[in-house]
Amino acid sequence: MSPNASLKIATYNVNGIGSRLPVLLRWLEETKPDIACLQELKAPQENFPEAAIKDAGYNAIWHGQKSWNGVAILARDHAEIKEVRRVLPGDDEDLHSRYIEAHVGDLLIGCLYLPNGNPAPGPKFDYKLSWMKRFITHTDELLKQNIPVVLTGDFNIIPTEVDVYKPERWTNDALFRPESREVFHSLINKGWTDALRKLYPDEIIYTYWDYFRDAYSRNAGLRIDHFLLNNVVTDKLLKAGVDRHVRGWEKSSDHAPVWIELSK
DNA sequence: ATGCCTGCTTGCAGCAGA
């Protein structure tokens, strides 16, 4: 396939861009996504490594935050990124950096870091519920637009029992609670397509393995990083996958990158 | 039920993550 026959979009929860920069640059160089969405920068706005990202061939927009959260969109060959918003609408009091949205070429890209929500019940789970409600409201608006839309990032939702190594241990976890799964399923029912499941309906696919108990080598993982596509994009879906080997690198994030390829 | 590990903080132990 010629380099320009398809468009590759990736998502990667880096778990701290300060510590992860060498791994991030190595992965960008190896896999060369046209667009990369990052989550959990864990860095204030001014600490984003803009020069190193530019040297790697990428333009970037980002919304940082001290210590926690933080999201970014990167575009290869210094392609133009037209920022639409950097907060999820619906709550002026919400100061977490968890959503950024931009046009890149013909596409509208929403990059999200949905709240974890543990412990549930509790205030953190309430925040997750209210964030998801705002997300539904906003994505309903996006569905009305007749343009290609990609929503990607760390959803912190395990969609089904197939997506967790031992579902019985996760019944009360905020990532697997019925309220969280219901939001994911309602998005599917509204017309969004889960890209990985569309191409691999029955496979066990994980995108996260925790740092404890040697989870990666035991393949005790979760599928929580997702691509949701509207119908215009789904018609262009060629391939999808997880860069699983990156999770095995030295100084890796606890997440692996996930990607799709679209026909142009 | 908890800690297991890792990154971040103006830190030097505690929090959050999932």
Side-chain angles (χ1 to χ4, degrees):
Chain A
M1 184 181 284
S2 74
N4 294 318
S6 65
L7 185 82
K8 184 173 192 174
I9 308 171
T11 183
Y12 188 18
N13 179 322
V14 294
N15 186 18
I17 199 163
S19 293
R20 206 69 57 221
L21 187 59
V23 163
L24 173 64
L25 295 173
R26 178 182 172 190
W27 167 72
L28 288 172
E29 174 60 25
E30 180 185 291
T31 68
K32 297 181 169 54
D34 296 289
I35 300 168
C37 295
L38 309 181
Q39 304 85 35
E40 274 206 90
L41 303 178
K42 289 180 158 182
Q45 187 70 11
E46 62 273 19
N47 284 11
F48 185 85
E50 185 176 17
I53 298 291
K54 274 224 182 312
D55 287 347
Y58 287 84
N59 270 344
I61 62 168
W62 65 96
H63 191 194
Q65 181 183 333
K66 193 173 106 173
S67 305
W68 296 303
N69 311 316
V71 286
I73 298 175
L74 279 52
R76 189 168 177 79
D77 295 330
H78 302 112
E80 188 183 3
I81 306 171
K82 294 180 214 165
E83 182 175 321
V84 178
R85 65 186 83 246
R86 57 176 54 206
V87 294
L88 185 67
D91 183 0
D92 294 340
E93 313 273 293
D94 180 11
L95 300 178
H96 290 200
S97 297
R98 294 182 177 275
Y99 188 78
I100 191 164
E101 183 183 292
H103 292 283
V104 181
D106 296 333
L107 290 173
L108 182 64
I109 307 284
C111 169
L112 64 131
Y113 176 46
L114 202 146
N116 175 302
N118 278 307
K124 291 188 177 181
F125 192 61
D126 292 340
Y127 174 63
K128 179 173 193 157
L129 292 173
S130 67
W131 203 97
M132 291 192 295
K133 190 172 180 182
R134 288 161 57 203
F135 187 62
I136 292 281
T137 301
H138 181 57
T139 55
D140 281 351
E141 290 301 312
L142 295 181
L143 269 186
K144 295 176 186 169
Q145 300 187 33
N146 191 27
I147 58 169
V149 183
V150 174
L151 303 172
T152 189
D154 179 355
F155 282 64
N156 271 318
I157 297 174
I158 300 164
T160 73
E161 293 192 343
V162 179
D163 299 309
V164 48
Y165 66 105
K166 277 192 178 174
E168 67 276 12
R169 289 197 184 175
W170 291 78
T171 47
N172 289 320
D173 191 280
L175 281 66
F176 198 50
R177 287 270 299 231
E179 299 93 328
S180 304
R181 282 188 273 171
E182 175 53 36
V183 164
F184 196 87
H185 299 143
S186 75
L187 288 163
I188 302 303
N189 289 336
K190 285 166 181 281
W192 298 98
T193 294
D194 177 349
L196 275 284
R197 274 288 165 251
K198 166 90 172 171
L199 295 183
Y200 301 100
D202 302 315
E203 292 204 21
I204 290 172
I205 303 167
Y206 297 143
T207 67
Y208 166 92
W209 299 261
D210 74 32
Y211 288 124
F212 311 152
R213 296 169 301 236
D214 212 14
Y216 178 61
S217 60
R218 293 188 298 115
N219 199 28
L222 311 174
R223 189 173 76 98
I224 53 175
D225 302 271
H226 305 297
F227 276 91
L228 294 186
L229 317 178
N230 74 352
N231 289 336
V232 189
V233 180
T234 303
D235 290 342
K236 298 169 181 285
L237 181 62
L238 297 174
K239 298 180 185 176
V242 179
D243 290 331
R244 202 179 182 289
H245 66 289
V246 173
R247 178 63 181 82
W249 289 353
E250 286 292 315
K251 294 282 287 177
S252 165
S253 168
D254 39 9
H255 295 250
V258 185
W259 54 268
I260 61 171
E261 278 187 32
L262 306 176
S263 60
K264 282 192 172 172

